[in-house]
């Protein structure tokens, strides 16, 4: 028995589900195979980076995420109390913002990976109109017919599976291996994980703590003589996660009682009583990277299948999800005939680079959290705090920068027109006022993740006749490009989403001054869309977003910014 699918996703984790949301929105024939008997009930990850929250916003899912999650607003640093007259123990040395000001319009939050996966699954299956995940299905192996990989229509990948004792083959055009650190897909291809494991051992546990420690509902880093401990408040009012540094020993030999006792020693002189432990584990810190990420550009690896590292920087689920975010729109565009198969090569060039950077960052991050390393290097608590702060852009998920490729060109871009934007990085948001109804909105809300490319025109103040004439000329050329790529029977904004941002004058500019390019005829009622024009002004009861200033755009000169479906520019 065999089944054909255009895309087969092996593994129902963050990477696979995020790719699945894209494919469902594209209307692609795909399937996710998951060896678990049902949805994840208790995820090991819980930190949701600012960038990941932005991705959920692009999918229209951020409201539910933000409502349920615990918001990490502040970090407290604690260190050994060596002040004169102290009785030992620990003391607070610093408070700082969890996310630096201006990095993102959305916060870093904490929510169980099980709930993250549920939100993605619900959206995916709602968009697809069907169940998309085959639970209890184990991948047994994979073969690629290398003689047919050059044929874009060939179902040249065969995946062998087993469920409840019944074997089944899937024939696919493309396969995404998101089946974890012990990936069957990776092993079937003969790819290796390159790296090592250190002697450092950490324990992690989700607990309900009874304590008089004053910062228990904050994100906290404790460096004491008894070891290091990281506090991560969880969703709800009482649950907390502890990451605890342990003495050099085998992770498999650690007991829960040892974790409880080490935590009590680190918290001293504060009292700590564990009312309940919901989940716990112990692990050795290691970093590994797959030596290859694809086979014939038909089978691709993502998430833990190609990069593994320590959990303390909160990168695992987030980077995996961003792998799927990058892959999903690209394979969808290829299968819908909107892009050549060569587009998939950019998944490798972009995400393999990010994975390598992640491994290097995590290696340095793990050292920074090691008591022994800090003693050897003479790193003081103040220096530790400063290094932690300097890493905030990376830990927020906002440091990703892609190199030039067929869809990025920093070399030919005129960066002086918008020096606040970096080509190859994500498009940051700013508050603007929608022209048609004076509603204040984040600009990225006009750029939904629905497969379209976005062209944002900063035209300045069109009360100025010169600026208006320039906008009219630009609109003629942009309209021709839209016509070239848009099917004649489709809405005018189906492929390219034109957005206009004016610098000022909302109350003095008339609607008929706006070129038709930015008010395209859409929907079954064939009406003008008035939701693509914005002004950089303050609103009624809302502050000025200063978008032109943030992006570095001179209103007298203007700029045009092209943003990919995944919000990279």
């Amino acid at each position: 028995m065999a089944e054909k699918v255009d895309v087969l996703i092996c593994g129902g984790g963050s990477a696979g589900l995020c790719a699945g949301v894209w494919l469902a929105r594209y209307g692609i024939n795909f399937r996710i195979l998951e060896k678990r008997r049902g949805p994840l009930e208790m995820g090991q990850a819980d930190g949701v980076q600012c960038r990941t929250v932005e991705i959920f916003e692009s999918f229209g899912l951020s409201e539910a995420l933000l409502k349920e999650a615990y918001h990490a607003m502040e970090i407290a640093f604690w260190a050994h109390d060596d002040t004169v007259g102290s009785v030992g123990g620990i003391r607070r040395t610093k408070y700082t913002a969890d996310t630096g000001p201006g990095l993102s319009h959305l916060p870093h939050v904490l929510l169980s990976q099980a709930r993250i996966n549920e939100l993605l699954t619900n959206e995916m299956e709602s968009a697809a109109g069907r169940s998309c995940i085959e639970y209890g299905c184990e991948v047994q192996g994979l073969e690629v017919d290398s003689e047919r990989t050059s044929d874009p229509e060939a179902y040249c990948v065969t995946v062998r599976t087993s469920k409840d004792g019944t074997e089944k083959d899937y024939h696919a055009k493309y396969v995404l291996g998101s089946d974890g650190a012990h990936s069957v897909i990776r092993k079937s291809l003969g790819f290796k994980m390159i790296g090592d494991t250190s002697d450092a051992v950490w324990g992690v546990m989700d607990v309900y703590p009874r304590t008089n420690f004053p910062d228990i509902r904050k994100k906290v880093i404790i460096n004491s003589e008894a070891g290091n401990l990281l506090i991560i408040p969880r969703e709800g009012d009482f649950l907390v996660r502890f990451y605890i540094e342990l003495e050099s020993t085998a992770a498999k030999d650690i007991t829960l009682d040892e974790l409880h006792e080490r935590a009590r020693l680190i918290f001293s002189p504060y009292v700590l009583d564990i009312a309940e432990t919901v989940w716990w584990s112990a692990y050795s810190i290691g970093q590994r990277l797959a030596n290859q990420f694809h086979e014939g550009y038909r089978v691709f690896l993502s998430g833990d299948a190609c990069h593994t590292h320590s959990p303390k920087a909160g990168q695992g689920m987030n980077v995996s999800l961003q792998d799927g975010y990058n892959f999903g729109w690209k394979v969808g565009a290829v299968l819908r005939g909107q892009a050549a198969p060569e587009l998939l090569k950019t998944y490798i060039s972009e995400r393999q680079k990010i994975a390598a950077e992640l491994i290097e960052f995590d290696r340095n991050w793990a050292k920074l959290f090691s008591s022994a390393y800090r003693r050897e290097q003479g790193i003081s608590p103040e220096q530790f705090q400063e290094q932690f702060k300097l890493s905030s852009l990376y830990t927020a998920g906002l440091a990703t920068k892609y190199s030039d490729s067929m869809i990025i060109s920093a070399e030919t871009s005129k960066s002086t027109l918008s020096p606040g934007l970096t080509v190859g990085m994500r498009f940051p948001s700013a508050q603007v006022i929608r022209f048609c109804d004076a509603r204040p909105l984040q600009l990225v809300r006009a750029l939904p993740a629905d497969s379209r490319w976005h062209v944002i025109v900063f035209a300045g103040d069109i009360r100025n006749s010169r600026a208006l004439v320039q906008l009219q000329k630009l609109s003629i050329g942009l309209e021709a490009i839209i016509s070239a790529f848009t099917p004649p029977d489709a809405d005018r904004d189906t492929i390219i989403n034109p957005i206009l941002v004016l610098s000022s004058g909302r109350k003095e500019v008339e609607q008929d001054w706006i070129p038709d390019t930015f008010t395209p005829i859409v929907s079954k009622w064939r009406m003008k869309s008035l939701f693509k024009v914005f002004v950089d002004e303050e609103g009624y009861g809302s502050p000025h977003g200063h978008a032109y200033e943030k992006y570095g755009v001179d209103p007298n000169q203007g700029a045009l910014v092209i943003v990919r479906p995944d919000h990279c520019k």
Side-chain angles (χ1 to χ4, degrees), residues 28-67:
I28 300 300
N29 175 23
F30 76 101
R31 196 74 175 154
I32 297 178
L33 307 181
E34 171 55 53
K35 68 179 181 180
R36 290 189 183 91
R37 304 302 298 182
L40 183 68
E41 295 181 357
M42 184 178 293
Q44 296 179 6
D46 58 1
V48 187
Q49 295 175 341
C50 297
R51 178 59 189 143
T52 299
V53 182
E54 291 177 359
I55 287 173
F56 269 67
E57 181 182 48
S58 76
F59 281 148
L61 303 175
S62 58
E63 283 81 3
L65 172 63
L66 293 172
K67 181 180 179 180

Side-chain angles (χ1 to χ4, degrees), residues 113-363:
Q113 185 178 359
R115 182 58 179 142
I116 293 291
N117 287 2
E118 184 180 16
L119 291 170
L120 292 171
T121 299
N122 291 345
E123 172 60 24
M124 173 181 68
E125 296 191 338
S126 174
R130 60 178 175 85
S131 174
C132 301
I133 306 175
E134 185 75 25
Y135 289 110
C137 184
E138 292 201 36
V139 174
Q140 302 295 319
L142 168 146
E143 295 176 355
V144 180
D145 185 347
S146 59
E147 294 183 358
R148 302 171 64 206
T149 55
S150 60
D151 177 5
E153 299 302 317
Y155 293 82
C156 58
V157 185
T158 298
V159 176
R160 302 186 306 278
T161 71
S162 176
K163 180 179 180 179
D164 298 329
T166 301
E167 295 184 351
K168 179 178 179 178
D169 286 351
Y170 285 88
H171 301 304
K173 291 182 178 178
Y174 298 99
V175 169
L176 180 66
S178 55
D179 51 341
H182 303 288
S183 170
V184 175
I185 298 300
R186 184 189 68 239
K187 292 176 181 177
S188 296
L189 295 170
F191 298 169
K192 305 297 183 183
M193 292 294 278
I194 308 300
D196 51 33
T197 300
S198 71
D199 294 330
V201 176
W202 284 69
V204 55
M205 56 182 180
D206 288 335
V207 299
Y208 289 96
R210 289 192 287 253
T211 180
N212 61 349
F213 182 71
D215 292 335
I216 196 64
R217 295 307 296 174
K218 292 183 174 72
K219 186 175 176 181
V220 178
I221 298 171
I222 303 175
N223 301 141
S224 81
E225 287 198 327
N228 295 322
L229 188 146
L230 175 63
I231 300 175
I232 304 292
R234 296 291 302 270
E235 62 273 19
D237 297 328
F238 303 108
L239 186 64
V240 174
R241 172 165 290 183
F242 291 161
Y243 288 99
I244 307 167
E245 183 184 32
L246 302 169
E247 298 291 347
S248 295
T249 186
K252 63 181 177 61
D253 296 331
I254 300 299
T255 67
L256 180 58
D257 287 342
E258 289 180 83
L259 292 184
H260 286 184
E261 181 59 25
R262 177 53 60 93
R264 291 189 189 99
L265 291 172
I266 293 173
F267 270 92
S268 178
Y270 296 96
V271 176
L272 174 67
D273 178 38
I274 305 298
E276 181 184 348
T277 302
V278 178
W279 170 84
W280 72 280
S281 183
Y283 59 90
S284 298
I285 291 179
Q287 295 85 19
R288 289 182 174 83
L289 185 69
N291 62 341
Q292 295 189 63
F293 275 52
H294 76 95
E295 177 63 37
Y297 295 104
R298 291 304 191 105
V299 182
F300 301 84
L301 299 182
S302 64
D304 287 354
C306 53
H307 47 75
T308 60
H309 41 84
S310 70
K312 287 187 297 301
Q315 300 294 304
M317 176 184 70
N318 293 279
V319 176
S320 295
L321 190 145
Q322 290 160 31
D323 286 346
Y325 194 64
N326 187 289
F327 176 80
W329 80 266
K330 292 176 179 177
V331 74
V334 169
L335 289 168
R336 282 222 311 212
Q338 296 173 355
E342 285 72 24
L343 176 64
L344 292 170
K345 293 182 179 181
T346 66
Y347 171 75
I348 303 302
S349 63
E350 292 178 352
R351 298 310 299 176
Q352 191 169 22
K353 172 178 177 285
I354 297 306
E357 292 173 353
L358 168 62
I359 295 302
E360 185 60 28
F361 172 84
D362 187 69
R363 187 173 284 117

